[in-house]
Amino acid sequence: MTHKVFIDGAVGTTGLEIAERLTGRAEFELIVLDEARRKQDAARAEALNAADFVILCLPDDAAREAVAMIANLHTRVIDASTAHRVAAGWTYGFPEITGRDAVAGALRVSNPGCYSTGFIALLAPLVRAGLLPADWPYTCNAVSGYSGGGKALIARFEADGDIAWRGYALNLGHKHVPEMQALSGLAHAPLFTPAVIPAHRGMVVEIPLPLGAMAGMGPGKGPGMGSTDAFRAALTEFYAGSPVVSVSQEPPADGELLLRASMEPWDGLELHVLASADGSQARLVAGLDNLGKGASGAAVQSLNLMAGLDETAGLRL
């Protein structure tokens, strides 16, 4: 069976990479509008309603408008914007966290944010298992390739070769924070400090844990606390059998993790649990491609499940 897919916003970075992952796949037929028609509401509405699956790669307001144009009960939507990530009636498109069956059966799926993917992947399983408290004020430090910032940011980075680091969301109002809090089951919004570096793609997300202070009685001895070995074991069990998420069992031999500017497209997600010698401090670290599992790869994974296909079809793993 061939499924008709319309990517609304197909000329943006996320849309282009989704289309690349669908190219040559007989399971899908892309509905494509030419340059003039893709900006016409009537043409877009026709495509939105003719499709079996719609993938929205649009700004938030435009994504809401696109959903409102759908006048039938069969067109299923994956929204890569922020508009619906914590909205009622939408399923969060992180199958490893929300469940593959939930994503497979959903009419409306919100694609996770790139930073949120790393944060939630690390923290949600440990909070659910009672190994970390839900009411701790967590912090999250992260760096990303500049491609996640859209065409304007890409142009600025590529035009100015002197930028080495760009900190942003300095007002602490980053749009990913609501989903990070909600999907991890936290009582408090995390303090999130993102930055962009001069690499086209790639991302590292870190959650530092002062375990001694968190337990109040030394590492691993307070209520709702666990050891770093327990964290690693719990994450390994949680993602057992996942073809996308892996958990490193040993710290890097040289004590370093690298994010290379030459990174190739990748749809996987690698998690690390790192600890101080006395166990009083830990670092939970996620490595991913912000355009892969952090955007386009995640959308294709959800699309595969919704279409009843192998979730890894077309992915770069």
mmCIF file of all heavy atoms in Angstrom, residues 82 85-86 92 94 97 112-125 127 134 136 138-142 172-194 203 205-207:
data_model
loop_
_atom_site.group_PDB
_atom_site.id
_atom_site.type_symbol
_atom_site.label_atom_id
_atom_site.label_comp_id
_atom_site.label_asym_id
_atom_site.label_seq_id
_atom_site.Cartn_x
_atom_site.Cartn_y
_atom_site.Cartn_z
ATOM 1 N N THR A 82 6.791 23.798 17.540
ATOM 2 C CA THR A 82 6.578 23.758 18.992
ATOM 3 C C THR A 82 5.101 23.847 19.343
ATOM 4 O O THR A 82 4.727 23.658 20.504
ATOM 5 C CB THR A 82 7.316 24.942 19.655
ATOM 6 O OG1 THR A 82 8.635 25.030 19.132
ATOM 7 C CG2 THR A 82 7.422 24.779 21.157
ATOM 8 N N ARG A 85 3.322 20.554 21.263
ATOM 9 C CA ARG A 85 4.100 19.559 22.004
ATOM 10 C C ARG A 85 3.534 19.226 23.380
ATOM 11 O O ARG A 85 3.761 18.132 23.886
ATOM 12 C CB ARG A 85 5.566 20.015 22.108
ATOM 13 C CG ARG A 85 6.270 19.913 20.766
ATOM 14 C CD ARG A 85 7.706 20.320 20.836
ATOM 15 N NE ARG A 85 8.291 20.267 19.491
ATOM 16 C CZ ARG A 85 9.364 20.935 19.122
ATOM 17 N NH1 ARG A 85 9.989 21.713 19.989
ATOM 18 N NH2 ARG A 85 9.820 20.828 17.899
ATOM 19 N N VAL A 86 2.835 20.144 23.979
ATOM 20 C CA VAL A 86 2.187 19.841 25.254
ATOM 21 C C VAL A 86 0.683 20.106 25.161
ATOM 22 O O VAL A 86 0.014 20.320 26.168
ATOM 23 C CB VAL A 86 2.813 20.663 26.421
ATOM 24 C CG1 VAL A 86 4.233 20.209 26.680
ATOM 25 C CG2 VAL A 86 2.783 22.159 26.134
ATOM 26 N N TYR A 92 2.948 12.834 21.979
ATOM 27 C CA TYR A 92 4.340 13.255 21.857
ATOM 28 C C TYR A 92 5.115 12.194 21.080
ATOM 29 O O TYR A 92 5.135 11.017 21.463
ATOM 30 C CB TYR A 92 4.929 13.450 23.254
ATOM 31 C CG TYR A 92 6.216 14.245 23.298
ATOM 32 C CD1 TYR A 92 6.222 15.612 23.035
ATOM 33 C CD2 TYR A 92 7.421 13.629 23.621
ATOM 34 C CE1 TYR A 92 7.399 16.341 23.097
ATOM 35 C CE2 TYR A 92 8.598 14.354 23.690
ATOM 36 C CZ TYR A 92 8.574 15.719 23.417
ATOM 37 O OH TYR A 92 9.745 16.430 23.482
ATOM 38 N N PHE A 94 7.822 10.626 20.665
ATOM 39 C CA PHE A 94 9.057 10.013 21.173
ATOM 40 C C PHE A 94 8.670 8.599 21.572
ATOM 41 O O PHE A 94 8.366 8.316 22.716
ATOM 42 C CB PHE A 94 9.572 10.808 22.375
ATOM 43 C CG PHE A 94 11.020 10.571 22.731
ATOM 44 C CD1 PHE A 94 11.743 11.544 23.402
ATOM 45 C CD2 PHE A 94 11.668 9.383 22.409
ATOM 46 C CE1 PHE A 94 13.078 11.357 23.746
ATOM 47 C CE2 PHE A 94 12.994 9.169 22.748
ATOM 48 C CZ PHE A 94 13.704 10.170 23.421
ATOM 49 N N ILE A 97 9.635 6.813 24.729
ATOM 50 C CA ILE A 97 9.151 7.375 25.991
ATOM 51 C C ILE A 97 7.632 7.247 26.112
ATOM 52 O O ILE A 97 7.107 6.831 27.152
ATOM 53 C CB ILE A 97 9.554 8.864 26.105
ATOM 54 C CG1 ILE A 97 11.077 9.006 26.162
ATOM 55 C CG2 ILE A 97 8.912 9.511 27.337
ATOM 56 C CD1 ILE A 97 11.742 8.428 27.391
ATOM 57 N N PRO A 112 9.209 15.874 18.876
ATOM 58 C CA PRO A 112 9.940 16.481 19.990
ATOM 59 C C PRO A 112 10.956 17.516 19.533
ATOM 60 O O PRO A 112 11.480 17.458 18.418
ATOM 61 C CB PRO A 112 10.652 15.285 20.634
ATOM 62 C CG PRO A 112 9.860 14.091 20.225
ATOM 63 C CD PRO A 112 9.365 14.411 18.844
ATOM 64 N N GLY A 113 11.262 18.459 20.424
ATOM 65 C CA GLY A 113 12.350 19.377 20.187
ATOM 66 C C GLY A 113 13.680 18.650 20.280
ATOM 67 O O GLY A 113 13.795 17.614 20.941
ATOM 68 N N CYS A 114 14.702 19.180 19.625
ATOM 69 C CA CYS A 114 16.000 18.502 19.583
ATOM 70 C C CYS A 114 16.639 18.433 20.967
ATOM 71 O O CYS A 114 17.042 17.365 21.424
ATOM 72 C CB CYS A 114 16.919 19.187 18.583
ATOM 73 S SG CYS A 114 17.059 20.973 18.775
ATOM 74 N N TYR A 115 16.746 19.574 21.655
ATOM 75 C CA TYR A 115 17.309 19.561 23.000
ATOM 76 C C TYR A 115 16.467 18.695 23.933
ATOM 77 O O TYR A 115 16.988 17.946 24.761
ATOM 78 C CB TYR A 115 17.363 20.979 23.574
ATOM 79 C CG TYR A 115 18.331 21.921 22.919
ATOM 80 C CD1 TYR A 115 17.876 23.041 22.228
ATOM 81 C CD2 TYR A 115 19.709 21.726 23.013
ATOM 82 C CE1 TYR A 115 18.763 23.942 21.653
ATOM 83 C CE2 TYR A 115 20.599 22.616 22.433
ATOM 84 C CZ TYR A 115 20.128 23.719 21.759
ATOM 85 O OH TYR A 115 21.005 24.608 21.188
ATOM 86 N N SER A 116 15.150 18.818 23.783
ATOM 87 C CA SER A 116 14.239 18.065 24.649
ATOM 88 C C SER A 116 14.457 16.564 24.527
ATOM 89 O O SER A 116 14.343 15.828 25.512
ATOM 90 C CB SER A 116 12.786 18.383 24.278
ATOM 91 O OG SER A 116 12.584 19.761 24.187
ATOM 92 N N THR A 117 14.782 16.114 23.317
ATOM 93 C CA THR A 117 15.000 14.687 23.093
ATOM 94 C C THR A 117 16.107 14.154 23.991
ATOM 95 O O THR A 117 15.959 13.116 24.649
ATOM 96 C CB THR A 117 15.329 14.432 21.616
ATOM 97 O OG1 THR A 117 14.197 14.796 20.820
ATOM 98 C CG2 THR A 117 15.679 12.977 21.367
ATOM 99 N N GLY A 118 17.247 14.858 24.034
ATOM 100 C CA GLY A 118 18.343 14.420 24.887
ATOM 101 C C GLY A 118 17.992 14.485 26.354
ATOM 102 O O GLY A 118 18.266 13.554 27.124
ATOM 103 N N PHE A 119 17.378 15.580 26.783
ATOM 104 C CA PHE A 119 17.037 15.775 28.191
ATOM 105 C C PHE A 119 16.042 14.720 28.670
ATOM 106 O O PHE A 119 16.250 14.054 29.695
ATOM 107 C CB PHE A 119 16.452 17.177 28.381
ATOM 108 C CG PHE A 119 16.094 17.520 29.803
ATOM 109 C CD1 PHE A 119 17.039 18.046 30.661
ATOM 110 C CD2 PHE A 119 14.802 17.335 30.272
ATOM 111 C CE1 PHE A 119 16.716 18.377 31.969
ATOM 112 C CE2 PHE A 119 14.459 17.665 31.572
ATOM 113 C CZ PHE A 119 15.420 18.187 32.432
ATOM 114 N N ILE A 120 14.960 14.553 27.925
ATOM 115 C CA ILE A 120 13.912 13.602 28.324
ATOM 116 C C ILE A 120 14.421 12.172 28.287
ATOM 117 O O ILE A 120 14.110 11.366 29.174
ATOM 118 C CB ILE A 120 12.689 13.783 27.406
ATOM 119 C CG1 ILE A 120 12.047 15.150 27.637
ATOM 120 C CG2 ILE A 120 11.664 12.668 27.630
ATOM 121 C CD1 ILE A 120 11.069 15.561 26.543
ATOM 122 N N ALA A 121 15.221 11.850 27.267
ATOM 123 C CA ALA A 121 15.753 10.490 27.164
ATOM 124 C C ALA A 121 16.575 10.117 28.381
ATOM 125 O O ALA A 121 16.535 8.972 28.855
ATOM 126 C CB ALA A 121 16.601 10.360 25.902
ATOM 127 N N LEU A 122 17.338 11.069 28.905
ATOM 128 C CA LEU A 122 18.179 10.812 30.073
ATOM 129 C C LEU A 122 17.379 10.778 31.373
ATOM 130 O O LEU A 122 17.568 9.889 32.214
ATOM 131 C CB LEU A 122 19.254 11.900 30.186
ATOM 132 C CG LEU A 122 20.359 11.898 29.138
ATOM 133 C CD1 LEU A 122 21.104 13.232 29.152
ATOM 134 C CD2 LEU A 122 21.335 10.739 29.376
ATOM 135 N N LEU A 123 16.491 11.744 31.547
ATOM 136 C CA LEU A 123 15.899 11.952 32.866
ATOM 137 C C LEU A 123 14.592 11.208 33.101
ATOM 138 O O LEU A 123 14.369 10.667 34.200
ATOM 139 C CB LEU A 123 15.678 13.456 33.079
ATOM 140 C CG LEU A 123 15.491 13.917 34.534
ATOM 141 C CD1 LEU A 123 16.669 13.510 35.393
ATOM 142 C CD2 LEU A 123 15.293 15.426 34.597
ATOM 143 N N ALA A 124 13.720 11.170 32.091
ATOM 144 C CA ALA A 124 12.391 10.591 32.311
ATOM 145 C C ALA A 124 12.431 9.156 32.843
ATOM 146 O O ALA A 124 11.721 8.831 33.809
ATOM 147 C CB ALA A 124 11.565 10.661 31.025
ATOM 148 N N PRO A 125 13.260 8.260 32.280
ATOM 149 C CA PRO A 125 13.278 6.890 32.811
ATOM 150 C C PRO A 125 13.756 6.815 34.263
ATOM 151 O O PRO A 125 13.274 5.971 35.031
ATOM 152 C CB PRO A 125 14.253 6.160 31.879
ATOM 153 C CG PRO A 125 14.241 6.956 30.621
ATOM 154 C CD PRO A 125 14.108 8.377 31.068
ATOM 155 N N VAL A 127 13.485 9.221 36.626
ATOM 156 C CA VAL A 127 12.438 9.754 37.504
ATOM 157 C C VAL A 127 11.318 8.731 37.641
ATOM 158 O O VAL A 127 10.809 8.480 38.752
ATOM 159 C CB VAL A 127 11.914 11.101 36.967
ATOM 160 C CG1 VAL A 127 10.690 11.555 37.760
ATOM 161 C CG2 VAL A 127 13.008 12.168 37.037
ATOM 162 N N ALA A 134 11.524 13.806 41.446
ATOM 163 C CA ALA A 134 10.805 14.645 40.493
ATOM 164 C C ALA A 134 10.815 16.104 40.907
ATOM 165 O O ALA A 134 10.562 16.986 40.077
ATOM 166 C CB ALA A 134 9.360 14.161 40.358
ATOM 167 N N TRP A 136 13.400 17.941 42.179
ATOM 168 C CA TRP A 136 14.694 18.621 42.226
ATOM 169 C C TRP A 136 14.739 19.709 41.138
ATOM 170 O O TRP A 136 14.203 19.511 40.046
ATOM 171 C CB TRP A 136 15.827 17.615 42.000
ATOM 172 C CG TRP A 136 17.195 18.250 42.040
ATOM 173 C CD1 TRP A 136 17.966 18.612 40.972
ATOM 174 C CD2 TRP A 136 17.929 18.591 43.209
ATOM 175 N NE1 TRP A 136 19.147 19.168 41.405
ATOM 176 C CE2 TRP A 136 19.154 19.168 42.772
ATOM 177 C CE3 TRP A 136 17.680 18.482 44.578
ATOM 178 C CZ2 TRP A 136 20.114 19.632 43.661
ATOM 179 C CZ3 TRP A 136 18.646 18.942 45.461
ATOM 180 C CH2 TRP A 136 19.846 19.504 45.006
ATOM 181 N N TYR A 138 16.412 20.769 38.405
ATOM 182 C CA TYR A 138 17.450 20.304 37.484
ATOM 183 C C TYR A 138 17.943 21.430 36.578
ATOM 184 O O TYR A 138 17.214 22.366 36.246
ATOM 185 C CB TYR A 138 16.922 19.160 36.619
ATOM 186 C CG TYR A 138 16.663 17.903 37.400
ATOM 187 C CD1 TYR A 138 15.382 17.606 37.868
ATOM 188 C CD2 TYR A 138 17.693 17.021 37.699
ATOM 189 C CE1 TYR A 138 15.137 16.456 38.606
ATOM 190 C CE2 TYR A 138 17.459 15.868 38.429
ATOM 191 C CZ TYR A 138 16.185 15.600 38.892
ATOM 192 O OH TYR A 138 15.942 14.459 39.637
ATOM 193 N N THR A 139 19.196 21.315 36.175
ATOM 194 C CA THR A 139 19.761 22.201 35.163
ATOM 195 C C THR A 139 20.151 21.373 33.950
ATOM 196 O O THR A 139 20.384 20.165 34.049
ATOM 197 C CB THR A 139 20.994 22.954 35.688
ATOM 198 O OG1 THR A 139 22.015 22.006 36.047
ATOM 199 C CG2 THR A 139 20.631 23.791 36.913
ATOM 200 N N CYS A 140 20.217 22.035 32.819
ATOM 201 C CA CYS A 140 20.581 21.365 31.572
ATOM 202 C C CYS A 140 21.460 22.302 30.751
ATOM 203 O O CYS A 140 21.073 23.439 30.466
ATOM 204 C CB CYS A 140 19.327 20.999 30.780
ATOM 205 S SG CYS A 140 19.662 20.230 29.173
ATOM 206 N N ASN A 141 22.649 21.823 30.403
ATOM 207 C CA ASN A 141 23.560 22.563 29.547
ATOM 208 C C ASN A 141 23.625 21.845 28.198
ATOM 209 O O ASN A 141 23.697 20.615 28.159
ATOM 210 C CB ASN A 141 24.957 22.622 30.160
ATOM 211 C CG ASN A 141 24.925 23.086 31.604
ATOM 212 O OD1 ASN A 141 24.295 24.079 31.913
ATOM 213 N ND2 ASN A 141 25.577 22.346 32.488
ATOM 214 N N ALA A 142 23.628 22.596 27.113
ATOM 215 C CA ALA A 142 23.610 21.936 25.811
ATOM 216 C C ALA A 142 24.238 22.821 24.741
ATOM 217 O O ALA A 142 24.172 24.051 24.809
ATOM 218 C CB ALA A 142 22.175 21.597 25.411
ATOM 219 N N LEU A 172 15.895 32.948 29.800
ATOM 220 C CA LEU A 172 15.444 31.684 30.402
ATOM 221 C C LEU A 172 14.040 31.291 29.953
ATOM 222 O O LEU A 172 13.332 30.596 30.669
ATOM 223 C CB LEU A 172 15.513 31.764 31.934
ATOM 224 C CG LEU A 172 16.873 32.176 32.511
ATOM 225 C CD1 LEU A 172 16.836 32.153 34.040
ATOM 226 C CD2 LEU A 172 17.981 31.263 32.011
ATOM 227 N N GLY A 173 13.670 31.690 28.752
ATOM 228 C CA GLY A 173 12.335 31.365 28.272
ATOM 229 C C GLY A 173 12.359 30.481 27.041
ATOM 230 O O GLY A 173 11.507 30.634 26.151
ATOM 231 N N HIS A 174 13.296 29.552 26.953
ATOM 232 C CA HIS A 174 13.405 28.721 25.747
ATOM 233 C C HIS A 174 12.134 27.899 25.540
ATOM 234 O O HIS A 174 11.558 27.346 26.477
ATOM 235 C CB HIS A 174 14.615 27.798 25.851
ATOM 236 C CG HIS A 174 15.005 27.183 24.550
ATOM 237 N ND1 HIS A 174 14.335 26.097 24.006
ATOM 238 C CD2 HIS A 174 15.985 27.487 23.657
ATOM 239 C CE1 HIS A 174 14.882 25.767 22.855
ATOM 240 N NE2 HIS A 174 15.888 26.599 22.610
ATOM 241 N N LYS A 175 11.725 27.782 24.282
ATOM 242 C CA LYS A 175 10.448 27.137 23.960
ATOM 243 C C LYS A 175 10.428 25.643 24.228
ATOM 244 O O LYS A 175 9.350 25.036 24.252
ATOM 245 C CB LYS A 175 10.099 27.401 22.491
ATOM 246 C CG LYS A 175 11.097 26.833 21.494
ATOM 247 C CD LYS A 175 10.707 27.204 20.066
ATOM 248 C CE LYS A 175 11.663 26.617 19.049
ATOM 249 N NZ LYS A 175 11.268 26.977 17.657
ATOM 250 N N HIS A 176 11.575 25.005 24.441
ATOM 251 C CA HIS A 176 11.587 23.575 24.724
ATOM 252 C C HIS A 176 11.302 23.247 26.192
ATOM 253 O O HIS A 176 11.005 22.096 26.521
ATOM 254 C CB HIS A 176 12.953 22.971 24.362
ATOM 255 C CG HIS A 176 13.201 22.874 22.898
ATOM 256 N ND1 HIS A 176 14.370 22.339 22.378
ATOM 257 C CD2 HIS A 176 12.458 23.228 21.822
ATOM 258 C CE1 HIS A 176 14.327 22.393 21.061
ATOM 259 N NE2 HIS A 176 13.182 22.921 20.709
ATOM 260 N N VAL A 177 11.411 24.237 27.069
ATOM 261 C CA VAL A 177 11.317 23.959 28.503
ATOM 262 C C VAL A 177 9.986 23.307 28.904
ATOM 263 O O VAL A 177 9.986 22.357 29.693
ATOM 264 C CB VAL A 177 11.588 25.236 29.323
ATOM 265 C CG1 VAL A 177 11.239 25.031 30.800
ATOM 266 C CG2 VAL A 177 13.058 25.637 29.190
ATOM 267 N N PRO A 178 8.820 23.759 28.413
ATOM 268 C CA PRO A 178 7.566 23.117 28.827
ATOM 269 C C PRO A 178 7.526 21.617 28.555
ATOM 270 O O PRO A 178 7.069 20.830 29.399
ATOM 271 C CB PRO A 178 6.494 23.873 28.037
ATOM 272 C CG PRO A 178 7.089 25.231 27.820
ATOM 273 C CD PRO A 178 8.554 24.968 27.593
ATOM 274 N N GLU A 179 7.991 21.194 27.381
ATOM 275 C CA GLU A 179 7.963 19.754 27.089
ATOM 276 C C GLU A 179 9.010 19.005 27.899
ATOM 277 O O GLU A 179 8.796 17.857 28.305
ATOM 278 C CB GLU A 179 8.148 19.497 25.585
ATOM 279 C CG GLU A 179 9.484 19.950 25.036
ATOM 280 C CD GLU A 179 9.592 19.866 23.522
ATOM 281 O OE1 GLU A 179 9.719 18.753 22.995
ATOM 282 O OE2 GLU A 179 9.561 20.933 22.877
ATOM 283 N N MET A 180 10.161 19.635 28.153
ATOM 284 C CA MET A 180 11.183 19.005 28.983
ATOM 285 C C MET A 180 10.628 18.704 30.383
ATOM 286 O O MET A 180 10.840 17.623 30.928
ATOM 287 C CB MET A 180 12.414 19.919 29.072
ATOM 288 C CG MET A 180 13.153 20.075 27.748
ATOM 289 S SD MET A 180 14.296 21.485 27.703
ATOM 290 C CE MET A 180 15.632 20.869 28.738
ATOM 291 N N GLN A 181 9.910 19.662 30.930
ATOM 292 C CA GLN A 181 9.334 19.477 32.256
ATOM 293 C C GLN A 181 8.199 18.447 32.237
ATOM 294 O O GLN A 181 8.171 17.521 33.057
ATOM 295 C CB GLN A 181 8.800 20.806 32.786
ATOM 296 C CG GLN A 181 8.145 20.694 34.170
ATOM 297 C CD GLN A 181 7.635 22.021 34.709
ATOM 298 O OE1 GLN A 181 7.734 23.056 34.034
ATOM 299 N NE2 GLN A 181 7.092 22.006 35.902
ATOM 300 N N ALA A 182 7.278 18.599 31.293
ATOM 301 C CA ALA A 182 6.091 17.745 31.271
ATOM 302 C C ALA A 182 6.432 16.284 31.014
ATOM 303 O O ALA A 182 5.954 15.388 31.719
ATOM 304 C CB ALA A 182 5.111 18.258 30.218
ATOM 305 N N LEU A 183 7.259 16.026 30.013
ATOM 306 C CA LEU A 183 7.542 14.634 29.635
ATOM 307 C C LEU A 183 8.483 13.946 30.610
ATOM 308 O O LEU A 183 8.535 12.711 30.665
ATOM 309 C CB LEU A 183 8.113 14.582 28.219
ATOM 310 C CG LEU A 183 7.092 14.506 27.069
ATOM 311 C CD1 LEU A 183 6.339 13.182 27.113
ATOM 312 C CD2 LEU A 183 6.118 15.670 27.077
ATOM 313 N N SER A 184 9.234 14.725 31.390
ATOM 314 C CA SER A 184 10.101 14.135 32.405
ATOM 315 C C SER A 184 9.395 14.011 33.753
ATOM 316 O O SER A 184 9.939 13.427 34.684
ATOM 317 C CB SER A 184 11.376 14.983 32.575
ATOM 318 O OG SER A 184 12.105 15.037 31.372
ATOM 319 N N GLY A 185 8.194 14.562 33.866
ATOM 320 C CA GLY A 185 7.419 14.459 35.094
ATOM 321 C C GLY A 185 7.996 15.272 36.232
ATOM 322 O O GLY A 185 7.994 14.816 37.385
ATOM 323 N N LEU A 186 8.467 16.480 35.929
ATOM 324 C CA LEU A 186 9.155 17.294 36.936
ATOM 325 C C LEU A 186 8.223 18.309 37.585
ATOM 326 O O LEU A 186 7.340 18.879 36.941
ATOM 327 C CB LEU A 186 10.333 18.035 36.290
ATOM 328 C CG LEU A 186 11.376 17.163 35.569
ATOM 329 C CD1 LEU A 186 12.482 18.040 35.010
ATOM 330 C CD2 LEU A 186 11.940 16.107 36.522
ATOM 331 N N ALA A 187 8.482 18.573 38.861
ATOM 332 C CA ALA A 187 7.705 19.571 39.588
ATOM 333 C C ALA A 187 8.139 20.981 39.229
ATOM 334 O O ALA A 187 7.348 21.925 39.342
ATOM 335 C CB ALA A 187 7.863 19.351 41.094
ATOM 336 N N HIS A 188 9.396 21.151 38.812
ATOM 337 C CA HIS A 188 9.937 22.470 38.494
ATOM 338 C C HIS A 188 10.478 22.480 37.072
ATOM 339 O O HIS A 188 11.048 21.491 36.602
ATOM 340 C CB HIS A 188 11.062 22.848 39.463
ATOM 341 C CG HIS A 188 10.724 22.651 40.896
ATOM 342 N ND1 HIS A 188 9.823 23.449 41.574
ATOM 343 C CD2 HIS A 188 11.159 21.728 41.801
ATOM 344 C CE1 HIS A 188 9.718 23.039 42.826
ATOM 345 N NE2 HIS A 188 10.521 21.992 42.984
ATOM 346 N N ALA A 189 10.346 23.620 36.417
ATOM 347 C CA ALA A 189 10.939 23.766 35.090
ATOM 348 C C ALA A 189 12.455 23.728 35.209
ATOM 349 O O ALA A 189 13.031 24.359 36.099
ATOM 350 C CB ALA A 189 10.501 25.085 34.466
ATOM 351 N N PRO A 190 13.141 22.983 34.363
ATOM 352 C CA PRO A 190 14.599 22.946 34.432
ATOM 353 C C PRO A 190 15.205 24.289 34.016
ATOM 354 O O PRO A 190 14.631 25.018 33.212
ATOM 355 C CB PRO A 190 14.972 21.843 33.432
ATOM 356 C CG PRO A 190 13.831 21.813 32.469
ATOM 357 C CD PRO A 190 12.605 22.136 33.278
ATOM 358 N N LEU A 191 16.356 24.583 34.585
ATOM 359 C CA LEU A 191 17.111 25.770 34.173
ATOM 360 C C LEU A 191 17.954 25.347 32.974
ATOM 361 O O LEU A 191 18.880 24.555 33.107
ATOM 362 C CB LEU A 191 17.986 26.265 35.320
ATOM 363 C CG LEU A 191 18.526 27.697 35.220
ATOM 364 C CD1 LEU A 191 19.024 28.159 36.575
ATOM 365 C CD2 LEU A 191 19.643 27.823 34.202
ATOM 366 N N PHE A 192 17.622 25.898 31.826
ATOM 367 C CA PHE A 192 18.169 25.408 30.559
ATOM 368 C C PHE A 192 19.094 26.453 29.943
ATOM 369 O O PHE A 192 18.709 27.608 29.760
ATOM 370 C CB PHE A 192 17.011 25.078 29.620
ATOM 371 C CG PHE A 192 17.417 24.593 28.257
ATOM 372 C CD1 PHE A 192 18.488 23.734 28.088
ATOM 373 C CD2 PHE A 192 16.700 24.974 27.134
ATOM 374 C CE1 PHE A 192 18.856 23.266 26.835
ATOM 375 C CE2 PHE A 192 17.046 24.526 25.877
ATOM 376 C CZ PHE A 192 18.131 23.671 25.726
ATOM 377 N N THR A 193 20.333 26.045 29.617
ATOM 378 C CA THR A 193 21.314 26.968 29.050
ATOM 379 C C THR A 193 21.829 26.426 27.711
ATOM 380 O O THR A 193 22.840 25.729 27.669
ATOM 381 C CB THR A 193 22.486 27.192 30.013
ATOM 382 O OG1 THR A 193 23.107 25.931 30.297
ATOM 383 C CG2 THR A 193 22.004 27.793 31.319
ATOM 384 N N PRO A 194 21.145 26.753 26.608
ATOM 385 C CA PRO A 194 21.572 26.269 25.287
ATOM 386 C C PRO A 194 22.585 27.205 24.635
ATOM 387 O O PRO A 194 22.644 28.402 24.937
ATOM 388 C CB PRO A 194 20.264 26.265 24.502
ATOM 389 C CG PRO A 194 19.504 27.426 25.076
ATOM 390 C CD PRO A 194 19.860 27.472 26.540
ATOM 391 N N MET A 203 24.765 17.565 18.364
ATOM 392 C CA MET A 203 24.264 18.134 19.612
ATOM 393 C C MET A 203 24.725 17.305 20.793
ATOM 394 O O MET A 203 24.774 16.073 20.724
ATOM 395 C CB MET A 203 22.729 18.169 19.574
ATOM 396 C CG MET A 203 22.040 18.537 20.873
ATOM 397 S SD MET A 203 20.259 18.733 20.638
ATOM 398 C CE MET A 203 20.215 20.328 19.819
ATOM 399 N N VAL A 205 23.757 17.188 24.977
ATOM 400 C CA VAL A 205 22.867 17.662 26.033
ATOM 401 C C VAL A 205 23.317 17.043 27.346
ATOM 402 O O VAL A 205 23.504 15.825 27.424
ATOM 403 C CB VAL A 205 21.400 17.271 25.746
ATOM 404 C CG1 VAL A 205 20.484 17.762 26.853
ATOM 405 C CG2 VAL A 205 20.957 17.805 24.393
ATOM 406 N N GLU A 206 23.496 17.870 28.379
ATOM 407 C CA GLU A 206 24.025 17.368 29.651
ATOM 408 C C GLU A 206 23.166 17.804 30.829
ATOM 409 O O GLU A 206 22.678 18.940 30.882
ATOM 410 C CB GLU A 206 25.448 17.883 29.862
ATOM 411 C CG GLU A 206 26.023 17.477 31.215
ATOM 412 C CD GLU A 206 27.394 18.057 31.496
ATOM 413 O OE1 GLU A 206 27.916 18.787 30.635
ATOM 414 O OE2 GLU A 206 27.940 17.786 32.575
ATOM 415 N N ILE A 207 22.986 16.888 31.778
ATOM 416 C CA ILE A 207 22.315 17.181 33.044
ATOM 417 C C ILE A 207 23.315 16.898 34.165
ATOM 418 O O ILE A 207 23.618 15.734 34.451
ATOM 419 C CB ILE A 207 21.058 16.310 33.240
ATOM 420 C CG1 ILE A 207 20.113 16.446 32.045
ATOM 421 C CG2 ILE A 207 20.344 16.691 34.543
ATOM 422 C CD1 ILE A 207 18.972 15.443 32.062
#
